[in-house]
Amino acid sequence: MAEGLLIEGRTGDWEMVIGLEVHAQVISKAKLFSGASTRFGAAPNSQVSLVDAAMPGMLPVINAYCVEQAVRAGLALKSRINLFSVFDRKNYFYPDLPAGYQISQYSQPIVGEGDIVLDLEGGATRTVGITRLHLEQDAGKSLHDRGPAATHVDLNRSGIALMEIVSEPDLRSAEEAGAYMRKLRSILRYIGACDGNMEEGSLRCDANVSVRRPGEAYGTRCEIKNLNSVRFVMRAIDYEARRQIEVIEDGGTVALETRLFDSEAGVTRAMRSKEEAHDYRYFPDPDLLPLVLDQAWVDEIKAALPELPDDKKARFIGDYGLSAYDAGVLVAEKDVADYYETAAQGRDAKLAANWVTSELFGALNKAGLDIAHAPVSAAALGGLIGLIADGAISGRMAKDVFAEMFETGKEAAAIVEAKGLRQVSDEGAIEAVVDRVIAENPAQAEQCRAGNQKLAGWFVGQVMRATQGKANPKLVNEILRIKLSG
Ligand code: ADP
Ligand code: MG
């Protein structure tokens, strides 16, 4: 284990142990056991079937598309697909759960053990175990802000399919937990199984955290519920680990409990202890048969999977000569990877990677746009990169041209022509200007030949000024060096 991951306590070093349980909303037009719509933002209780409202006598019918999505996610997470799985009832009372139980999977989930590769700082990677992925229903939503005297319930979310994805306790820092969330989100978005929108609640995380002395057995964990941004996951874990270290160093013991993160205060608070934990009385749902899958169908889904982030990253490193870091940044979002490949087509691939990750990302960030709404198309950026590679414009000028492309949506070549920016790379023309500038400044030329380095730079400036900045600076430097050598 890397030294850098240890936390220094008052009485020595500590190690964090983290396992994440992530709820990912399945992309599907209909719910897991009913035909009601899953559209986000609809008027309250406008997308509720009799099944979702748990009317007596209603029977659930499994949505095959949601099953396919779970299988796709399992395969993308390099996990075992269980051809036989079972739906159980998880019993508890809550006003937003009309049936009094949630249909979930418990001892026999649809997906078993697998792997996920984390992309860490500096291009390093680490493989973390996936324990399982199971399908379950979401609950409705209690609304406490619709009136002073009552709580209202919106059942639109009731019955929407969720995938719960559980990791092994393999993560060792908040950074690794953040990398896990980002990678999981990236994979689910690539395959179209979940939109990964944490603000809308499509992806939510419960973080299990414990601490131990390096090399010792796992300590008692606390579970922090319902974290809805990667930043909150990381902050909550850091706070919680430090809290537990303090408790133990003060001679106390960590209690097995469920906690909530207060993002305003930056602290976790006890919600319920394990003694108060629900007894869910799981049992197989008598209204549903076990789910039996056909291996040939699973194989078909596997064959139809798109290229996944890890494979794309390896290809970008191999085919384009990119660093692991740049490749990792470019493949995280499929839209970005596609944009990059179009821009780099037939161009200097490393130069294209630099332009996408620095200038383009910077401009998009500043404008608050995502890549799908970039005012500069991938082909147009490719055109600009072509002009730089040909020596038609300098890298410095290209930044101004890019800014104008971003603002106006015009092509690079059109801007360069209209403004007469085309760089002069004609050696004869540059030599003529150099000769003239030297002739006009004989005293400075003399000192320069005598070894005054400062004046050499001054001459470059004079030539660039005389050409309105259009002379190819590399050629200017070369020609001046020859003409002013002692
Ligand atoms: P439960 O069913 O009570 O939620 P699980 O054994 O299924 O418990 O574990 C849930 C999560 O807790 C998993 O992500 C697992 O990796 C993590 N976990 C288990 N033990 C520890 C521990 N000692 N420290 C941190 N995380 C843990
Ligand atoms: Mg749990």
Side-chain angles (χ1 to χ4, degrees), residues 21 164 206 208 221 223 225 274:
E21 295 167 272
E164 177 169 340
D206 301 340
N208 295 271
R221 74 193 148 102
E223 180 175 3
K225 281 276 180 204
K274 212 59 184 182

Side-chain angles (χ1 to χ4, degrees), residues 71-72 75 295-307:
V71 169
R72 190 175 289 130
L75 291 168
Q295 184 63 49
W297 182 68
V298 174
D299 293 343
E300 251 173 63
I301 294 173
K302 187 170 187 179
L305 282 181
E307 182 181 36

Side-chain angles (χ1 to χ4, degrees), residues 17-21 106 131 166-170 208-210 218-221 223 274:
V17 174
I18 304 152
L20 301 182
E21 295 167 272
Y106 190 53
T131 311
V166 182
S167 87
E168 289 291 297
D170 286 349
N208 295 271
V209 181
S210 65
Y218 289 152
T220 304
R221 74 193 148 102
E223 180 175 3
K274 212 59 184 182

